[in-house]
Amino acid sequence: MSTATSRSLLLLSMLQTRRDWPGQVLAERLEVSSRTVRRDVDRLRAMGYRIVALKGPDGGYRLEAGSELPPMLFDDEQAVAIAMALQTVAASGAGVADAAERALSTVRQVMPSRLRHRLDSLPIIALRAPADVDPAVLVSLSTAVAAQDVLRFEYSTRAGYFERRRLEPHHLVAAAGRWYLVGWDLDKDDWRIFRADRVHPRVPTGPGFTRRELPAGDVRAYVAARFKGSPGPDQWPCTGEVILGIPATEIVPYVDTDTVEDLGGGRCRLVAGAWSWESLAAAIGRFDADIDVVGPPELTAAFATLARRYAHAAESG
């Protein structure tokens, strides 16, 4: 690689790291004259990079977005991060899995061998989401979110018919292999979460709106709470307490937000939550241990319900 070429690549790398660079600072970093910096900038412009000259006492340069995507430079950590992210695209439901595979092939081909080795040592198998979302729909939804424009759309329900809805779109969220649209439903006068693969945007969008505050404050907490069906971000609608005849170390790896307390003597206390009392009882029953219910009575009744169902299943089998 010639000195001029290597210097141009270094200059491009520097321009990508911050918005504005004074010309004198670039010259000092590259250990060349300001005139040489200008020639290197012209060389990059000829390659398709939009580099504008900044006016002022010091002058300088700025790399701006162009109409086409020119080649870009990444450091080692960035290159590996991009390659790993591309491997997980299939599970996002964004409908761009094939494009991601082609992009990954391109990135991997130009990687140094040391980085390809790192990437190959971390194979990622991403399961495709049950329903892919048209990328054009995601762009349309995210544009409405950013512009704070009321979104008019048709929503395909589970029953198979379409509903016309009007929404103040606040967030586009990827969770559990699906994309969701979070917003204020103007017809229901309440917050709602819609599956993006069932949203069919209509054009044009409606008027602008003033952004509201989510009930949970943070969109992650709000979505997690709604998925739980709970009244708060850290709550389940059904929570119970039991004593299990098994050491705490045996179940800690298999619980998430639940609380486990070791009681000694091969016993532990578990406080857990779930969608319903029956689902909570079933979740507790997965541990190979005797169970003593501390409370509430609804959990005891749920165990009785499951006992009848399991007994019937055993007899019918």
Side-chain angles (χ1 to χ4, degrees):
M1 181 183 296
S2 67
T3 302
T5 302
S6 61
R7 191 176 59 248
S8 296
L9 291 176
L10 179 56
L11 173 60
L12 176 60
S13 178
M14 294 171 64
L15 290 172
Q16 290 178 162
T17 60
R18 55 188 279 188
R19 183 168 177 79
D20 298 335
W21 277 94
Q24 186 58 37
V25 174
L26 288 174
E28 293 174 356
R29 294 286 186 90
L30 297 172
E31 299 181 350
V32 296
S33 66
S34 298
R35 182 178 180 181
T36 300
V37 171
R38 287 195 295 271
R39 287 201 300 266
D40 290 341
V41 166
D42 290 339
R43 186 178 295 108
L44 291 174
R45 286 169 175 165
M47 295 170 60
Y49 294 95
R50 289 189 58 184
I51 303 174
V52 298
L54 304 176
K55 297 181 180 180
D58 298 328
Y61 299 95
R62 175 190 299 161
L63 178 62
E64 293 190 340
S67 58
E68 297 180 352
L69 182 64
M72 292 177 287
L73 295 178
F74 302 101
D75 60 31
D76 288 5
E77 296 301 323
Q78 288 175 324
V80 172
I82 290 172
M84 293 180 66
L86 288 171
Q87 292 184 77
T88 65
V89 166
S92 72
V96 291
D98 292 339
E101 290 180 4
R102 295 196 305 271
L104 176 60
S105 177
T106 300
V107 171
R108 190 182 183 282
Q109 183 176 354
V110 298
M111 273 185 168
S113 59
R114 66 180 186 281
L115 296 186
R116 285 200 301 270
H117 177 73
R118 288 179 58 184
L119 183 62
D120 293 342
S121 66
L122 294 170
I124 299 174
I125 300 176
L127 301 180
R128 186 179 296 272
D132 285 342
V133 185
D134 186 343
V137 171
L138 292 179
V139 171
S140 178
L141 299 184
S142 61
T143 300
V145 170
Q148 293 184 214
D149 288 337
V150 170
L151 184 68
R152 301 182 303 124
F153 61 95
E154 294 183 345
Y155 191 69
S156 56
T157 66
R158 292 182 178 180
Y161 61 90
F162 289 89
E163 296 179 342
R164 289 195 172 186
R165 310 298 286 265
R166 295 181 305 129
L167 187 79
E168 294 179 355
H170 280 250
H171 299 280
L172 189 60
V173 180
R178 295 189 187 277
W179 287 87
Y180 296 91
L181 180 64
V182 181
W184 180 265
D185 192 317
L186 293 171
D187 299 312
K188 304 296 183 181
D189 199 31
D190 196 8
W191 290 97
R192 290 290 189 271
I193 299 178
F194 298 92
R195 276 180 45 177
D197 59 294
R198 295 179 177 174
V199 173
H200 305 274
R202 300 172 63 196
V203 293
T205 55
F209 64 90
T210 301
R211 191 174 297 277
R212 305 171 188 258
E213 289 294 330
L214 280 167
D218 177 75
V219 65
R220 296 177 181 84
Y222 173 73
V223 172
R226 288 294 299 270
F227 282 2
K228 289 180 179 180
S230 67
D234 298 319
Q235 305 174 33
W236 284 103
C238 301
T239 303
E241 180 179 342
V242 299
I243 304 297
L244 298 177
I246 191 172
T249 54
E250 295 291 327
I251 69 170
V252 167
Y254 306 103
V255 298
D256 185 11
T257 58
D258 302 331
T259 302
V260 182
E261 176 188 359
D262 189 70
L263 300 178
R267 300 166 69 243
C268 69
R269 183 190 313 275
L270 172 66
V271 179
W275 288 85
S276 66
W277 295 111
E278 285 74 17
S279 63
L280 176 57
I284 295 173
R286 75 186 190 273
F287 299 113
D288 186 14
D290 293 332
I291 305 170
D292 293 322
V293 178
V294 177
E298 291 85 351
L299 181 56
T300 302
F303 275 111
T305 299
L306 291 184
R308 291 193 297 271
R309 292 175 181 171
Y310 293 158
H312 173 73
E315 293 172 358
S316 64

